[in-house]
Amino acid sequence: MPLLVMKFGGTSVADLERIANAAQKVKREVARGYDVIVIVSAMSGRTNELVGWVEETSPLYDAREYDAVVSSGENVTAGLMSLTLQEMGVPARSWQGWQVPIQTTSQHASARFVDIPRDNIDQKFAEGMKVAVVAGFQGVSPEGRITTLGRGGSDTTAVAFAAAFGAERCDIYTDVDGIYTTDPRISTKARKLEKIAFEEMLELASLGAKVLQTRSVELAMRYKVRLRVLSSFEDSDENSGTLVCDEEEIMESKAVSGVAYSRDEAKLTLVTVEDRPGVASAIFGPLAEAGVNVDMIVQNISEKDYEGRTFAVTDMTFSCPTNQVARARKAMEDARANGQIAYEELVEDTDVAKVSVVGIGMRSHTGVAAKMFQALAAEGINIKVITTSEIKISVLIDRKYMELAVQALHDAFELEAGA
Ligand code: ADP
Ligand code: ASP
Ligand code: MG
């Protein structure tokens, strides 16, 4: 039997009516002759609520218990989706991660897949079941504890199942009708793309475009999964939505294909750090051990006079997600207390956002950075930190200018106009 993976995100299963709407789409594919694996997210808002409860109970929580709590939202929707399908006369059954079992690493809250054995689900398909409904976002560690895959992880569950079961396609149903040049909720001028290259989507996702989890794009690229994003609120056919595919399948030749933003960034500066070999490692080692995802790093070397002698010193600035600032601060204070590092002060700026432009066309176009900085300057937006790679440029700016910056860059690179 040909097989499809259909993933429904939080807003697509937000209440019983929407679950019924999603189930209708599944039923239609079954009627077309497909076996279907449905991956569901928690009802919208539910995971945030669960995370909030964990943080309120224990600010520097045990990640194993975090996973035990936050994975539960998906269990509810998996059962409800299966019941809804059964009521519609479609033979369906639900699976929680551990029942498959979806084997992952034991990195709680950001676990990775190790293996997805097919036997259990294949056997049920062989017995006449038409739809396997699997709770997204979760798995089980070698120690037998429940794990989660990081926020947005149901996308990755979907792609991993598509790869493991050799699905014809992996359809990600969400609340927008495809992938746009930027978040359509931020810019009304955003343009829907018919296709986007894996590498560009990978950058956009890792820079904050949460329409797909980064890891899902990585897996799709590696296992050649046909990955599509489309709306769960509209009728669709094989050509609906946006296809994520190889670069060669794409005709557009612009320098920049998309603008991404990440709202919840924080900038931390360690003031007056000694400038000597080993200092960066003494700072970023403890941060990594504490599970802080450091993103941008800048170092400003200067000189300081002390008791008639001149010392080379540096201010080390780095960015991380706002919800990791407490962890970062503790890691730095501990490292200072046990003599690993010395600094005068840790300055925290939690009102920043990251805005990035992305495009494989940057490899062959010059002047992209200049154009980006000009567009921001014209709006009076000050740049705090800059990082670049082959196909992206990111800047850290005051959060209050984030939307303005996205719109200014979308205009400057003429993304509305089309290829
Ligand atoms: P789901 O709950 O279905 O997983 P998400 O909220 O995780 O949905 O992702 C969909 C959201 O991603 C959209 O509502 C949109 O606001 C946002 N988004 C950000 N960047 C983009 C983009 N470039 N194209 C489309 N949507 C985007
Ligand atoms: N429910 C989880 C989250 O909100 C996983 C997902 O929706 O993909 O992050
Ligand atoms: Mg999502």
Side-chain angles (χ1 to χ4, degrees):
M1 275 284 185
L3 184 132
L4 278 187
V5 170
M6 301 172 75
K7 180 256 171 178
F8 294 94
T11 36
S12 311
V13 292
D15 53 37
L16 298 185
E17 205 180 314
R18 294 211 177 150
I19 292 178
N21 166 66
Q24 282 296 351
K25 289 191 177 290
V26 177
K27 186 177 178 181
R28 212 164 301 144
E29 298 297 354
V30 171
R32 286 184 183 140
Y34 286 103
D35 279 349
V36 181
I37 297 180
V38 173
I39 308 293
V40 283
S41 288
M43 290 177 173
S44 75
R46 176 46 58 97
T47 311
N48 285 344
E49 183 181 44
L50 296 168
V51 170
W53 289 345
V54 169
E55 288 175 344
E56 201 179 320
T57 310
S58 171
L60 294 176
Y61 48 77
D62 172 349
R64 291 166 296 194
E65 300 303 350
Y66 167 98
D67 279 353
V69 176
V70 305
S71 62
S72 65
E74 271 71 11
N75 297 344
V76 175
T77 36
L80 288 173
M81 175 63 83
S82 178
L83 285 172
T84 309
L85 286 161
Q86 289 173 6
E87 287 293 326
M88 290 175 177
V90 180
R93 196 213 118 146
S94 72
W95 269 268
Q96 295 182 10
W98 64 273
Q99 295 173 299
V100 173
I102 300 172
Q103 296 165 12
T104 71
T105 59
S106 40
Q107 283 162 282
H108 286 275
S110 56
R112 292 180 160 233
F113 290 109
V114 173
D115 193 22
I116 300 178
R118 293 177 49 156
D119 323 18
N120 278 331
I121 291 177
D122 273 344
Q123 190 187 332
K124 290 291 171 195
F125 277 132
E127 290 169 10
M129 176 193 69
K130 298 308 292 176
V131 182
V133 185
V134 179
F137 181 49
Q138 53 173 264
V140 60
S141 73
E143 294 78 25
R145 303 286 309 250
I146 304 300
T147 54
T148 64
L149 307 169
R151 298 305 306 271
S154 298
D155 298 328
T156 305
T157 307
V159 174
F161 271 78
F165 284 80
E168 197 172 291
R169 229 178 31 234
C170 180
D171 286 343
I172 306 286
Y173 287 88
T174 184
D175 55 2
V176 285
D177 61 355
I179 298 163
Y180 281 71
T181 47
T182 191
D183 187 346
R185 295 185 201 290
I186 291 268
S187 170
T188 49
K189 294 183 186 168
R191 174 171 53 96
K192 193 178 112 192
L193 299 164
E194 204 180 311
K195 292 177 179 177
I196 185 165
F198 282 120
E199 282 185 57
E200 286 177 328
M201 191 59 232
L202 200 57
E203 286 284 4
L204 286 174
S206 70
L207 295 167
K210 65 174 184 160
V211 62
L212 286 174
Q213 197 197 32
T214 310
R215 184 88 184 111
S216 73
V217 186
E218 259 170 38
L219 283 185
M221 193 163 143
R222 166 132 42 104
Y223 293 104
K224 304 234 165 294
V225 171
R226 243 181 134 65
L227 177 62
R228 188 167 71 138
V229 172
L230 67 169
S231 166
S232 65
F233 304 127
E234 291 171 11
D235 284 336
S236 49
D237 58 34
E238 291 86 70
N239 301 317
S240 305
T242 301
L243 186 71
V244 191
C245 59
D246 284 327
E247 215 174 288
E248 292 75 43
E249 286 188 52
I250 297 179
M251 303 305 287
E252 287 203 32
S253 60
K254 281 173 174 282
V256 167
S257 339
V259 182
Y261 64 88
S262 167
R263 192 187 301 271
D264 297 313
E265 299 284 324
K267 173 167 138 319
L268 282 79
T269 302
L270 287 166
V271 180
T272 320
V273 177
E274 220 185 326
D275 185 28
R276 61 166 172 79
V279 159
S281 131
I283 293 172
F284 294 105
L287 287 170
E289 275 162 35
V292 177
N293 297 317
V294 172
D295 178 22
M296 303 163 126
I297 299 174
V298 202
Q299 201 185 155
N300 297 316
I301 312 285
S302 59
E303 290 191 333
K304 195 174 171 168
D305 289 324
Y306 183 69
E307 292 183 351
R309 287 173 59 200
T310 304
F311 293 87
V313 292
T314 163
D315 286 350
M316 190 73 87
T317 298
F318 60 91
S319 70
C320 72
T322 26
N323 62 3
Q324 294 180 358
V325 168
R327 261 169 214 276
R329 188 189 314 124
K330 182 165 187 318
M332 294 296 88
E333 284 169 357
D334 288 352
R336 177 157 76 168
N338 67 27
Q340 274 175 282
I341 52 171
Y343 59 88
E344 264 174 20
E345 195 188 353
L346 176 63
V347 179
E348 296 171 11
D349 180 355
T350 49
D351 282 326
V352 290
K354 182 170 64 176
V355 176
S356 313
V357 297
V358 170
I360 42 182
M362 272 186 220
R363 292 190 193 125
S364 49
H365 289 72
T366 54
V368 177
K371 194 170 188 172
M372 178 177 191
F373 302 154
Q374 246 162 31
L376 295 173
E379 298 292 345
I381 300 172
N382 188 34
I383 301 172
K384 298 184 164 203
V385 181
I386 304 168
T387 52
T388 66
S389 79
E390 196 191 17
I391 66 164
K392 71 121 205 242
I393 305 169
S394 298
V395 294
L396 213 57
I397 58 171
D398 278 332
R399 188 172 302 140
K400 63 177 183 238
Y401 296 126
M402 188 190 80
E403 298 191 7
L404 178 63
V406 169
Q407 282 154 3
L409 294 172
H410 199 271
D411 285 346
F413 290 100
E414 296 168 17
L415 295 180
E416 184 188 13

